[in-house]
Amino acid sequence: MLRAHTVEQVRRAEQAAMAALPDGALMQRAAAGLATAVVDLLGGAYGRRVLLLVGAGDNGGDALWAGARLAARGARVEALLLSEHAHDGGLAALRAAGGWATRALDELGDPEVVLDGIVGIGGRPGLRPDAVAALERFAAVPVVAVDVPSGVDVDTGELDGPHVRANLTVTFGTHKVAHLVDPAAAASGSLHLVDIGLDLPDTAVEALQPDDVRALLPRPGPDAQKYTRGVVGVRAGSATYPGAALLAVAGAGSGLVGMVRYVGPDAVADRVRTAHPEVVGEGRVQAWVVGPGGGDDAADMLAAARADDVPLVVDADALRHVDGPLPGAVLTPHAGELAAMLEVAREEVEARPLEHVRAAAQRWGCVVLLKGHHTLVADPAGRVRVTTTGVPWLATAGAGDVLAGLVGALLAAGLDPFDAASVGSWVHGAAATEAAGGGPLTASRVAVQLPRLVRETLAAPRSRSLR
């Protein structure tokens, strides 16, 4: 499991580690990992041109010590000091290794990479004008953020003012919330974790890894039959949106349960059974998927599904009819739908998705899956799982219908709502990545890819989970 810790948790762990280690050992470990990552990015050190943007905190010290290591390997290293109080030891080491430091922006050369050591994990969102000017001067140069992109809110992933947009973030000890939660996650670029030996507690924000998904995916036992594997029902589609029913059924019928039932308008039901002849009609189910393309019938669909007293996936049109707590349910809104449910502007949800998804989970007493670049799955207790699989091409019509069906199948197969939502989101994103192959895709192609992705995940050798 990839875990993202808060600033307070990291600081306590660092203090405990420093009490047991020689002075400066943690910074040296961080600097060594940072320098190695920069060498890998550049394809070498000798003759390369590196600029350090250095603030007053420990991140500035990490950048200076890493710069000293790079200079000792033949790189041309310059440091722009953005504070009156640079890390003394790191600055002395940089100069001793042949590096150079200045406070004048116009004295700098043309770097091949910029190291962002402006603000550490304790900094406030936003940047001072001198830092903004430096970033603007080298806007075309790749940026490596030291621990976190400067200017983001580390514990919430929120942005408020100018900030670094990194190509690569090299973080130490553990991932931070801002690495996983948008909008700051989008500013982090690729992530590289350097283990510096911290002993960290459990945390409320995490991201599933392939081994976690493999352990949670349902598998039929040797004595399985179609009813014991789970039966999922789909109430979706309308004369206006018949395709939503077809896609939700395709997601539900990915092979993870023994049977899929469809209930909806006769004309839509005929199309569903033509496309999916294995699908049957109304009867007992272990979970319902309600709402995709339901239109004016969505309220009745939700009421009928609730009457069965089984877990629900509530999506699309049915979300407008959630009028109270829904224990055991998974709500699957995008930002606009969640904004309408919470009676706030969409922009507020997009700016503070972690805050809003947690508020929604608590308000409706159930799991809420907020779809986005990094989908968030929250439970009423405040636990959050972040989905890091997927590609921008997944932002396509009908993809959410496939996801709703897939989550419903996992519910019917016996996963609890939090696991069903987070595993479903991970599998959906991973299948989309494979189906896209670096280019455009459609929701139907994602659905077709699901069984293959599940097979590959179950068959893959066990890997070491990131932390």
Side-chain angles (χ1 to χ4, degrees):
M1 191 78 72
L2 187 155
R3 294 178 171 85
H5 289 84
T6 66
V7 172
E8 181 63 25
Q9 288 173 321
V10 172
R11 282 178 167 166
R12 289 181 179 178
E14 287 177 342
Q15 290 170 357
M18 287 188 290
L21 293 170
D23 187 40
L26 280 187
M27 184 169 286
Q28 291 302 321
R29 291 176 182 178
L34 176 59
T36 299
V38 172
V39 170
D40 289 344
L41 178 67
L42 294 175
Y46 188 81
R48 301 293 188 168
R49 303 184 305 277
V50 179
L51 172 63
L52 317 177
L53 300 181
V54 180
D58 286 346
N59 280 29
D62 296 334
L64 288 167
W65 278 109
R69 288 174 177 268
L70 294 169
R73 296 180 60 175
R76 176 188 169 186
V77 182
E78 298 177 335
L80 178 64
L81 305 181
L82 296 169
S83 171
E84 295 296 324
H85 305 288
H87 189 278
D88 291 336
L91 184 57
L94 174 66
R95 287 170 170 159
W100 180 71
T102 181
R103 288 187 168 84
L105 182 59
D106 57 5
E107 293 181 355
L108 299 171
D110 296 319
E112 296 172 80
V113 66
V114 172
L115 269 65
D116 159 33
I118 302 169
V119 179
I121 61 173
R124 297 178 179 177
L127 294 172
R128 296 188 324 191
D130 55 349
V132 174
L135 291 166
E136 290 176 347
R137 161 85 180 268
F138 301 106
V141 181
V143 176
V144 176
V146 181
D147 211 7
V148 292
S150 293
V152 306
D153 190 306
V154 178
D155 281 348
T156 67
E158 297 171 14
L159 303 175
D160 185 13
H163 61 277
V164 167
R165 296 193 66 88
N167 300 83
L168 170 68
T169 295
V170 180
T171 191
F172 312 121
T174 182
H175 292 85
K176 285 72 180 177
V177 175
H179 296 144
L180 300 184
V181 174
D182 286 326
S188 297
S190 300
L191 296 173
H192 177 71
L193 176 63
V194 176
D195 186 357
I196 57 173
L198 300 184
D199 183 13
L200 291 152
D202 289 336
T203 183
V205 179
E206 59 192 19
L208 295 178
Q209 299 297 290
D211 287 346
D212 306 311
V213 175
R214 188 176 303 113
L216 289 167
L217 280 169
R219 300 169 177 79
D223 58 348
Q225 43 100 344
K226 61 187 177 185
Y227 295 109
T228 61
R229 290 189 59 207
V231 180
V232 60
V234 178
R235 293 182 180 270
S238 61
T240 306
Y241 302 109
L246 290 165
L247 291 168
V249 168
S254 53
L256 292 169
V257 290
M259 182 183 292
V260 179
R261 298 184 182 276
Y262 175 74
V263 180
D266 290 342
V268 179
D270 289 342
R271 294 182 62 173
V272 167
R273 294 187 184 103
T274 298
H276 305 282
E278 67 277 12
V279 173
V280 299
E282 191 163 5
R284 293 184 62 183
V285 301
Q286 278 74 56
W288 278 108
V289 178
V290 185
D296 294 338
D297 295 331
D300 292 338
M301 290 178 174
L302 180 58
R306 291 182 69 175
D308 281 347
D309 196 26
V310 297
L312 307 175
V313 176
V314 183
D315 186 48
D317 294 322
L319 291 167
R320 294 184 283 110
H321 304 287
V322 174
D323 56 4
L326 277 177
V330 178
L331 312 184
T332 58
H334 55 59
E337 290 166 334
L338 185 59
M341 295 176 75
L342 293 173
E343 299 180 301
V344 300
R346 178 178 186 140
E347 292 77 14
E348 292 184 33
V349 173
E350 292 173 335
R352 301 191 302 280
L354 184 62
E355 173 187 328
H356 287 95
V357 74
R358 280 175 161 160
Q362 187 174 42
R363 176 171 175 177
W364 285 290
C366 64
V367 169
V368 177
L369 183 158
L370 175 59
K371 293 177 282 195
H373 164 246
H374 277 189
T375 290
L376 304 181
V377 177
D379 74 3
R383 287 189 305 165
V384 174
R385 282 187 181 151
V386 186
T387 301
T388 57
T389 59
V391 288
W393 296 109
L394 186 52
T396 186
D401 304 329
V402 175
L403 174 61
L406 175 59
V407 173
L410 291 166
L411 277 176
L415 270 65
D416 69 51
F418 190 61
D419 286 341
S422 49
V423 170
S425 180
W426 189 98
V427 169
H428 184 254
T433 301
E434 289 195 358
L441 81 164
T442 62
S444 296
R445 286 176 56 199
V446 177
V448 168
Q449 190 70 25
L450 289 174
R452 184 181 306 170
L453 188 282
V454 170
R455 182 179 70 246
E456 292 172 352
T457 302
L458 290 173
R462 185 171 178 82
S463 61
R464 182 181 179 185
S465 295
L466 296 176
R467 186 177 184 188

